[in-house]
């Protein structure tokens, strides 16, 4: 979901500088950071049979801005993240870019309830391998953009704090036949158990209507007169623990989830995914460390793998982000990711790792 991706990308934005003076009552304020680095990635194109390794130059820009408008009756905020990687391999590896942007206005309805209205934008250019013969390499570049309009409501019910949101979006690809319209929704619940320990849970879903992609029957045959439509329902639940000491701030969370996708035509694209997400973050003095482990198990109801059994994929990823402030304006970072996909379907198993380090400027 775009909302979750945006929150994850912006989690690394450091707290600090404001636009203008340091008066906390300034009408508009914001913070930005620019990162420049160098790294190395194994299996850049996520290939099973023809992996390509490459060094790369990295540049990313992050920002958050907020203020009040209409005589302090509405709050406005905007946030964004853009990252670009340029590869230096002897093999042709296209540059990759991802952009996540959001802007919204908020207002109070009564004493405790708050509404919001805004828009999001996801844009990406991501290269993948399409090689079926190691002697004939083939690469394709996915270019996509997804604008979304959303409406949200945040309030309390008994002792729970809940946050509900609905949105309409359109995903557009350069490739023909993949575009779709989507109705998205989610409800997040936050319940304090004891001081520092919260129970977090949520349900979410979407319905996607493809504009020019034919559905398939259970045998996998295309149905030219029937467009593909899918619906997903999912939930997540877990605990989040935060502790502040004089030496450091700690945050630990564990989330378990499951989501189910249904093919509304004949069921060919039906699948489920179970997931476990573990995150730990510690901030002390001028140093910040974040560790994340994510596991997902995909199971298909109709599609078969190469062993004539139902298709399945187990996915692992590990992330490390280490940052150190050198001064008020400068810092250094080290980012590392490890990905492992194991599938019984052809061309869906791979390992991919990357490591990058660089310099960050803060404003």
């Amino acid at each position: 979901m775009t909302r979750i991706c945006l929150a994850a990308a912006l989690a690394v934005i450091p707290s600090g500088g404001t636009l203008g003076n340091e008066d906390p009552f300034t009408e508009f304020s914001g913070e930005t950071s620019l990162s420049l680095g160098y790294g190395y990635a194994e299996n850049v194109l996520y290939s099973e049979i023809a992996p390509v390794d490459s060094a790369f130059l990295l540049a990313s820009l992050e920002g958050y801005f907020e203020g009040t408008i209409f005589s302090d009756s509405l709050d406005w905020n905007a946030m964004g993240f853009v990252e670009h990687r340029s590869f230096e391999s002897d093999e042709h590896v296209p540059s990759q870019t991802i952009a996540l942007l959001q802007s919204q206005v908020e207002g109070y309805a009564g004493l405790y309830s708050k509404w919001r209205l805004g828009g999001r934008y996801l844009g990406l250019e991501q290269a993948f391998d399409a090689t079926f013969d190691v002697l004939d390499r083939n690469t394709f570049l996915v270019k996509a953009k997804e604008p979304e309009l959303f409406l949200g409501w945040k309030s309390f019910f008994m002792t729970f704090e809940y946050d509900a949101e609905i949105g309409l979006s359109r995903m557009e690809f350069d490739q023909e036949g993949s575009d779709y319209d989507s109705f998205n929704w989610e409800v997040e619940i936050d319940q304090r158990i004891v001081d520092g320990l919260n129970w977090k849970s949520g349900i979410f879903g979407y319905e996607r209507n493809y504009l020019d992609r034919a559905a398939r029957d259970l045998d996998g045959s295309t149905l030219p007169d029937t467009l593909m439509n899918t619906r997903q329902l999912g939930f997540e639940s877990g605990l989040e623990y935060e502790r502040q000491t004089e030496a450091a701030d700690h945050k630990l969370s564990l989330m378990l989830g499951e989501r189910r996708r249904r093919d509304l035509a004949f069921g060919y694209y039906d699948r489920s995914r179970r997931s476990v997400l573990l995150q730990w973050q510690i901030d002390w003095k001028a140093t910040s460390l974040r560790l994340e482990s994510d596991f997902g198990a995909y199971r298909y109801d109709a599609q078969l793998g190469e062993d004539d059994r139902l298709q399945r994929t187990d996915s692992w990823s590990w992330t490390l982000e280490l940052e150190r402030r050198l001064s008020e304006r400068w810092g250094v970072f080290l980012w590392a990711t490890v990905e492992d996909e194991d599938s019984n379907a052809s061309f869906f198993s791979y390992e991919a790792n990357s490591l990058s380090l660089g310099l960050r400027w803060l404003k």
Side-chain angles (χ1 to χ4, degrees), residues 116-362:
R116 63 181 178 274
L117 176 66
R120 298 190 187 94
Y121 175 83
L122 166 67
L124 62 89
E125 294 184 5
Q126 172 70 56
F128 293 93
D129 179 76
T131 300
F132 297 96
D133 183 343
V134 293
L135 300 178
D136 183 20
R137 290 186 179 273
N138 187 19
T139 301
F140 69 95
L141 183 66
V142 174
K143 295 183 179 180
K145 56 184 178 181
E146 182 183 26
E148 179 181 11
L149 295 176
F150 63 86
L151 176 65
W153 180 269
K154 188 175 184 179
S155 189
F156 291 88
F157 178 73
M158 300 178 66
T159 60
F160 296 90
E161 181 183 63
Y162 69 89
D163 190 339
E165 184 176 293
I166 58 174
L168 295 173
S169 66
R170 169 168 288 190
M171 178 66 83
E172 298 179 349
F173 296 88
D174 274 8
Q175 295 82 4
E176 295 183 0
S178 299
D179 296 356
Y180 58 80
D181 291 328
S182 182
F183 171 72
N184 315 297
W185 63 272
E186 62 181 300
V187 180
E188 297 177 352
I189 299 173
D190 192 338
Q191 169 67 49
R192 180 180 176 182
I193 300 176
V194 295
D195 187 27
L197 181 63
N198 284 27
W199 170 65
K200 292 182 175 290
S201 188
I203 56 175
F204 50 87
Y206 64 69
E207 182 163 337
R208 292 177 177 173
N209 299 313
Y210 286 79
L211 305 181
D212 192 29
R213 184 172 180 178
R216 295 175 181 266
D217 61 20
L218 286 177
D219 294 328
S221 301
T222 58
L223 305 171
D225 297 330
T226 304
L227 291 178
M228 177 178 169
N229 294 317
T230 60
R231 179 182 297 160
Q232 178 172 280
L233 177 65
F235 77 91
E236 290 181 337
S237 185
L239 297 174
E240 182 178 273
Y241 176 70
E242 293 186 79
R243 182 185 179 188
Q244 295 182 340
T245 65
E246 293 183 1
D249 296 336
H250 303 263
K251 185 176 181 180
L252 179 66
S253 64
L254 173 65
M255 300 294 295
L256 307 178
E258 183 167 359
R259 60 191 67 183
R260 175 79 178 176
R261 185 182 71 182
R262 290 187 55 225
D263 178 352
L264 300 182
F266 289 91
Y268 179 74
Y269 291 99
D270 286 0
R271 77 176 185 190
S272 62
R273 178 183 188 269
R274 293 182 178 178
S275 62
V276 181
L277 176 64
L278 178 64
Q279 293 179 318
W280 176 56
Q281 182 168 333
I282 179 171
D283 298 289
W284 73 99
K285 296 182 179 179
T287 304
S288 176
L289 171 66
R290 187 176 77 90
L291 298 173
E292 178 179 297
S293 177
D294 188 8
F295 170 75
Y298 295 85
R299 299 295 182 263
Y300 291 77
D301 293 0
Q303 299 182 46
L304 298 178
E306 293 303 309
D307 53 5
D308 292 328
R309 297 182 179 181
L310 290 176
Q311 185 176 333
R312 58 97 184 137
T313 299
D314 293 330
S315 172
W316 283 94
S317 70
W318 295 268
T319 302
L320 179 148
E321 294 180 355
L322 178 63
E323 301 187 10
R324 172 75 177 180
R325 295 283 289 267
L326 301 178
S327 66
E328 182 181 357
R329 294 286 184 235
W330 294 96
V332 293
F333 67 84
L334 171 68
W335 299 338
T337 61
V338 176
E339 299 176 75
D340 187 357
E341 297 273 339
D342 181 21
S343 177
N344 65 342
S346 296
F347 310 111
F348 283 92
S349 295
Y350 63 84
E351 294 181 6
N353 310 310
S354 70
L355 177 69
S356 58
L357 53 90
L359 191 64
R360 167 169 280 182
W361 176 79
L362 310 130

Side-chain angles (χ1 to χ4, degrees), residues 75-105:
D75 296 325
W76 166 84
N77 63 68
M79 57 190 75
F81 169 81
V82 180
E83 181 181 282
H84 178 79
R85 296 190 179 195
S86 178
F87 295 92
E88 301 178 336
S89 171
D90 292 335
E91 304 288 342
H92 176 63
V93 180
S95 298
Q96 301 178 12
T97 303
I98 182 171
L100 297 162
L101 308 171
Q102 174 177 304
S103 181
Q104 66 182 32
V105 293

Side-chain angles (χ1 to χ4, degrees), residues 48-63:
E48 183 177 56
I49 64 174
V52 175
D53 303 338
S54 176
F56 61 87
L57 296 173
L58 177 148
S60 69
L61 178 66
E62 306 158 16

